[in-house]
Amino acid sequence: MCGRYSYFMPELDMSIRSQAIRAAHVRARYNIAPMSAAFMVRSEDSLPVACTALWGLIPSLAKDAKIAASCINARSETAAEKPAFRSAFKKRRCLIPADGFFEWERRDKVKLPWRFVRPDGSPFFFAGLWEAWHPPTAPESCIETFTILTTTPNAVVAPIHDRMPVILDASGADRWLAEPDAS
């Protein structure tokens, strides 16, 4: 599970998405929490577009927004089949820029935070899904939300937590955004 992450790198120079990111004038965020507005990159007309959305996916058919708190992460192994994520997995993929993420180690009754970064400190993308939700009581309004996909941990994260975000390099990010258009 990814419960917090950070993004405070001045540059994220990964393929053509870097233009969208620079255009968004992203400000440094040292502790991005669920249910807060955060930056993402999605594809519109095959071009990367930078925007903000709330972290905590609200499925398009949800009756109210309360589900968002339980949809901050989606298991990558089952997202394509789960009703909450299925539609977004097919049609609405996004990238969430980050330079670190936090996991908590439980020691007795204490939770210790660990921040994970790349060895060279460079930024990266999480694989994500996004939705546009129209509240039933105000269908003319729209709330855009996203979730971060998780996977089994690598050797560095495994001693601390049993899940970690899906991290993409530049070519993986290109493929992730392009796949919904290919299907």
Side-chain angles (χ1 to χ4, degrees), residues 109-172:
K109 295 183 179 184
V110 177
K111 290 170 74 174
L112 301 172
W114 288 82
R115 182 168 179 259
F116 294 92
V117 298
R118 282 194 166 162
D120 64 0
S122 65
F124 47 85
F125 288 109
F126 297 137
L129 307 172
W130 69 276
E131 279 285 3
W133 182 67
H134 301 274
T137 57
E140 68 284 351
S141 64
C142 180
I143 300 172
E144 292 188 345
T145 61
F146 71 88
T147 188
I148 296 172
L149 292 178
T150 65
T151 189
T152 55
N154 62 21
V156 175
V157 178
I160 306 302
H161 204 278
D162 64 345
R163 302 293 293 172
M164 67 178 276
V166 173
I167 297 173
L168 302 171
D169 61 12
S171 64

Side-chain angles (χ1 to χ4, degrees), residues 29-147:
R29 301 274 305 276
Y30 299 95
N31 188 8
I32 302 169
M35 310 311 297
S36 63
F39 176 66
M40 71 172 182
V41 176
R42 65 180 182 213
S43 182
E44 290 182 12
D45 299 323
S46 300
L47 295 173
V49 174
C51 59
T52 58
L54 296 177
W55 179 16
L57 191 124
I58 306 171
S60 60
L61 298 176
K63 299 211 186 315
D64 63 51
K66 292 178 186 172
I67 192 171
S70 63
C71 293
I72 63 168
N73 296 136
R75 288 180 169 265
S76 59
E77 303 89 343
T78 60
E81 293 88 38
K82 294 286 183 182
F85 308 115
R86 185 174 41 226
S87 179
F89 188 88
K90 291 178 186 173
K91 301 175 186 171
R92 288 174 295 283
R93 295 181 180 188
C94 65
L95 303 169
I96 297 98
D99 58 17
F101 65 95
F102 298 89
E103 297 294 356
W104 282 261
E105 177 183 22
R106 292 182 190 266
R107 288 192 189 167
D108 298 319
K109 295 183 179 184
V110 177
K111 290 170 74 174
L112 301 172
W114 288 82
R115 182 168 179 259
F116 294 92
V117 298
R118 282 194 166 162
D120 64 0
S122 65
F124 47 85
F125 288 109
F126 297 137
L129 307 172
W130 69 276
E131 279 285 3
W133 182 67
H134 301 274
T137 57
E140 68 284 351
S141 64
C142 180
I143 300 172
E144 292 188 345
T145 61
F146 71 88
T147 188

